[in-house]
Amino acid sequence: MMKEFLYAKIHRATVTQANLDYVGSITIDKALLDEVDISANQKVEILDINNGNRFSTYVIEGKANSGIICLNGAAARQVQVKDKIIIVAYALLNEQEQKTFKAKIAHVDEQNRLIKNI
């Protein structure tokens, strides 16, 4: 049986931009994407710590080491610049994979630079 599990998480990222006039998505610093193995166009869930909003969108790769976390299009209405968010991705795992799989979790500072990866 396949079950859905946390695959990757960027914890307490700071929203740097919100662009209502762009087609919906989230732009994320490529260095952070690489750290947790999230890909461009991959579906992610956004959890806004400040207001409790939870929503799904897809990833656009931002410039590496830029610190960019930008919500675009309709998603821009769900956040405010400087909000703290958690970005999560899930994967379907079979019973064998469930026994050994470990999610990739990145903690970031106020400028969205990696401070710890667990």
Side-chain angles (χ1 to χ4, degrees), residues 60-114:
I60 291 178
E61 183 180 288
K63 181 179 176 188
N65 301 307
S66 65
I68 190 168
I69 301 289
C70 179
L71 280 299
N72 301 299
R77 292 205 184 270
Q78 303 298 313
V79 301
Q80 297 290 316
V81 171
K82 297 187 180 178
D83 277 3
K84 293 292 186 188
I85 62 172
I86 301 169
I87 303 163
V88 294
Y90 301 97
L92 291 173
L93 303 177
N94 64 37
E95 290 182 31
Q96 189 63 35
E97 292 168 321
Q98 294 168 28
K99 294 175 184 175
T100 58
F101 183 77
K102 182 171 168 74
K104 296 179 181 183
I105 300 173
H107 293 260
V108 296
D109 66 11
E110 296 290 321
Q111 288 76 43
N112 297 320
R113 294 178 299 217
L114 183 69

